[in-house]
């Protein structure tokens, strides 16, 4: 099994590269707007990285008894003798011995490299999360009665319960995160002061949409899915595309409300977020330049200019 890892990894890497290139071509050529389709496609791309595990079926094989050792007969007019002898690989009790001890001693260097890289990437994930916990302050509850009323109204409509809290910070946000054992929606106070009511409500709707859709946990799961291809940059491109599609889905939930002004005012809100953004948190993709540009372009372009039939 260990000896088959190298060719299997090569095969799955080539499949991942080809499928990622094909996914990029098809999604771009067909101008697919649906975030769900994008997420399914990139998940399927990453699933191929797990196809390197061989399926091994072990069956016990026992040697034939001595009484049945010699079988004589006449085949085609000539006398034949069939003698069954136990295989040299079969132990005296008739069961094939396990070879895990020799496998452990002869672990190839490429298997050690792959396992070590997987462990390092996993530790980096944990380090980024702990760094985020240290960087993100718990913040403070909004003292402005109007802000507090806006949050309570949106939170009550979202039915997320008391485990979700809204806090103002000095620099970080807008974002949502999981801090054991509750969720936080954070927004910088200086940005909140420059926005009107509709813009603040739109941002809160967007962040709460992430929580309703469980995007934090889906984002963690997609990174686990990319682990077998930790050395493949296209696997991490698929992860970023998966996260970006989550931003699209939450944007759609904001602009598809009954308030028709959101389609024109929400892009301006995104521009203000981009202008006020400080250094992003580890793993954050929402306010990066290319992502924000595509989010705004996706909203302002009419639907008939984007869609084609698949």
């Amino acid at each position: 099994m260990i000896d088959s890892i190298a060719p299997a990894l090569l095969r799955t890497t080539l499949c991942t590269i080809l499928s990622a290139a094909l996914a990029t071509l098809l999604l771009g050529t067909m101008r697919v707007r649906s975030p769900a389709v994008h997420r399914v496609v990139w998940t399927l791309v990453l699933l191929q990285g797990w196809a390197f595990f061989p399926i091994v079926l072990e069956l016990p094989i026992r040697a034939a008894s001595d009484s049945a050792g010699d079988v004589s007969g006449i085949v085609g007019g000539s006398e034949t003798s069939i003698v069954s002898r136990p295989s040299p690989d079969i132990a005296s009790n008739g069961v094939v011995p396990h070879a895990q001890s020799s496998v452990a001693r002869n672990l190839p260097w490429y298997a050690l490299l792959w396992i070590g890289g997987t462990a390092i990437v996993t530790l980096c994930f944990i380090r980024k999360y702990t760094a985020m916990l240290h960087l993100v302050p718990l913040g403070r509850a909004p003292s402005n009665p109007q802000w507090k009323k806006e949050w309570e109204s949106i939170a009550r409509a979202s039915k997320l319960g008391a485990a979700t809290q809204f806090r103002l910070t000095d620099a970080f946000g807008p974002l949502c995160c999981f801090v054991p054992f509750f969720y936080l929606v954070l927004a910088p106070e200086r940005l909140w002061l420059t926005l009107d009511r509709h813009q603040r409500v739109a941002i809160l709707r967007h962040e709460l949409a992430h929580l309703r859709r469980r995007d934090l946990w889906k984002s963690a799961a997609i990174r686990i899915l990319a682990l077998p291809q930790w050395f493949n940059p296209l696997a991490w491109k698929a992860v970023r595309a998966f996260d970006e599609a989550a931003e699209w889905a939450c944007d759609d939930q904001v602009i598809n409300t009954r308030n028709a002004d959101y389609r024109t005012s929400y892009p301006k809100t995104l521009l203000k977020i981009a202008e006020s953004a400080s250094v992003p948190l580890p793993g954050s993709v929402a306010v990066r330049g290319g992502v924000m540009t595509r989010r705004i372009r996706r909203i302002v372009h009419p639907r008939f200019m984007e869609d084609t039939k698949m």
Side-chain angles (χ1 to χ4, degrees):
M1 176 179 175
I2 297 296
D3 294 338
S4 64
I5 284 183
L9 274 177
L10 178 61
R11 181 180 67 251
T12 55
T13 301
L14 291 175
C15 289
T16 303
I17 292 173
L18 291 175
S19 60
L22 183 62
T24 302
L25 177 64
L26 292 179
L27 292 174
T29 303
M30 296 181 176
R31 298 194 294 277
V32 180
R33 290 180 55 92
S34 170
V37 173
H38 279 260
R39 300 193 100 183
V40 168
V41 168
W42 292 116
T43 299
L44 292 175
V45 169
L46 291 175
L47 274 174
Q48 296 179 81
W50 289 81
F52 67 92
F53 289 107
I55 300 176
V56 179
L57 181 63
E58 294 186 0
L59 296 176
I61 303 174
R62 295 187 175 275
S65 61
D66 294 338
S67 59
D70 296 336
V71 180
S72 300
I74 300 177
V75 179
S78 62
E79 184 176 346
T80 62
S81 177
I82 303 175
V83 180
S84 65
R85 294 185 176 87
S87 170
D89 294 332
I90 299 177
S92 58
N93 60 358
V95 180
V96 178
H98 293 285
Q100 61 265 27
S101 59
S102 61
V103 169
R105 288 195 303 269
N106 300 321
L107 198 64
W109 66 268
Y110 50 80
L112 290 173
L113 179 63
W114 176 73
I115 294 172
T118 304
I120 291 173
V121 172
T122 304
L123 291 176
C124 287
F125 289 160
I126 298 173
R127 180 180 174 277
K128 284 183 178 180
Y129 179 71
T130 54
M132 184 270 295
L133 292 181
H134 285 91
L135 286 173
V136 171
L138 292 181
R140 53 198 175 275
S143 57
N144 187 310
Q146 179 64 29
W147 297 354
K148 186 181 297 185
K149 183 179 179 181
E150 291 166 0
W151 164 253
E152 290 174 352
S153 176
I154 299 299
R156 186 165 51 250
S158 299
K159 300 179 180 179
L160 290 174
T164 304
Q165 302 179 22
F166 175 58
R167 304 284 179 85
L168 294 173
T169 66
D170 294 327
F172 292 108
L175 58 88
C176 59
C177 60
F178 176 75
V179 179
F181 295 93
F182 56 93
Y183 295 98
L184 283 180
V185 175
L186 302 176
E189 187 171 10
R190 63 185 181 186
L191 171 65
W192 232 234
L193 288 168
T194 64
L195 301 177
D196 59 32
R197 176 183 176 277
H198 290 294
Q199 292 173 324
R200 291 193 297 268
V201 169
I203 293 175
L204 293 177
R205 287 182 184 276
H206 178 96
E207 299 303 331
L208 290 177
H210 279 303
L211 298 182
R212 283 198 310 272
R213 292 164 41 84
R214 303 183 184 275
D215 284 333
L216 296 179
W217 305 111
K218 293 176 182 177
S219 181
I222 203 67
R223 282 159 172 77
I224 295 174
L225 206 60
L227 276 180
Q229 291 284 309
W230 59 265
F231 51 87
N232 188 349
L234 288 183
W236 301 113
K237 177 186 180 300
V239 170
R240 291 191 297 271
F242 184 92
D243 287 340
E244 185 177 351
E247 299 297 328
W248 298 352
C250 295
D251 289 341
D252 288 345
Q253 292 197 18
V254 172
I255 63 178
N256 289 336
T257 58
R258 295 180 180 178
N259 192 330
D261 294 336
Y262 278 145
R263 184 168 290 277
T264 56
S265 65
Y266 188 57
K268 298 177 183 178
T269 305
L270 295 180
L271 284 175
K272 286 190 176 183
I273 293 174
E275 291 172 356
S276 65
S278 59
V279 178
L281 289 173
S284 174
V285 299
V287 295
R288 291 178 183 172
V291 175
M292 187 64 76
T293 300
R294 285 189 293 271
R295 287 174 64 184
I296 295 173
R297 183 183 302 167
R298 186 174 178 274
I299 294 170
V300 300
H301 279 311
R303 210 172 266 275
F304 68 85
M305 294 180 63
E306 292 276 342
D307 284 338
T308 61
K309 292 182 179 180
M310 285 204 315

